[in-house]
Amino acid sequence: MGLPPGEGLVDAAARPRLPISLLVVPNAAVLTVLQVNSQFVPPPDWLAAVDRRGVAYLIFATRTWPQDAEPGDPQALAAFANDEDTLATAAHVLLPARKLRT
């Protein structure tokens, strides 16, 4: 995908050919990576922060999810996402948040 793991922050606004996009609508978002769409309902504070800033900071981990961790467990996710090894080997992307035109 052209994302360098462990090499600092990639500003997607400066790299328009990156195959990653984020669409934010009221109470939901859609992340597209290559041709795969992932729809999700982020927490209200995340939506408010993205609305204020116009961007989202995404971490694309290269480490695998721990086998003993439950998917969807907020504490397991926080531990995984904040782990030094996860952060050091991940690709970090500042991604503009697109909105629907009205």
Side-chain angles (χ1 to χ4, degrees):
M1 287 190 337
L3 295 175
E7 292 187 22
L9 183 62
V10 172
D11 184 354
R15 301 199 33 205
R17 292 192 175 267
L18 277 179
I20 305 167
S21 65
L22 177 65
L23 173 65
V24 178
V25 296
N27 302 314
V30 179
L31 177 66
T32 301
V33 179
L34 298 171
Q35 287 85 23
V36 178
N37 294 328
S38 178
Q39 300 177 16
F40 59 100
V41 178
D45 56 337
W46 185 93
L47 285 167
V50 169
D51 188 48
R52 277 192 316 274
R53 295 180 179 118
V55 295
Y57 189 114
L58 301 178
I59 299 170
F60 291 88
T62 58
R63 292 181 62 209
T64 58
W65 181 258
Q67 288 184 348
D68 60 340
E70 283 291 319
D73 175 12
Q75 292 174 330
L77 176 59
F80 178 76
N82 291 302
D83 183 88
E84 287 183 33
D85 290 334
T86 299
L87 294 171
T89 59
H92 299 256
V93 180
L94 192 60
L95 189 60
R98 297 181 301 126
K99 296 181 178 182
L100 294 175
R101 296 181 197 175
T102 55

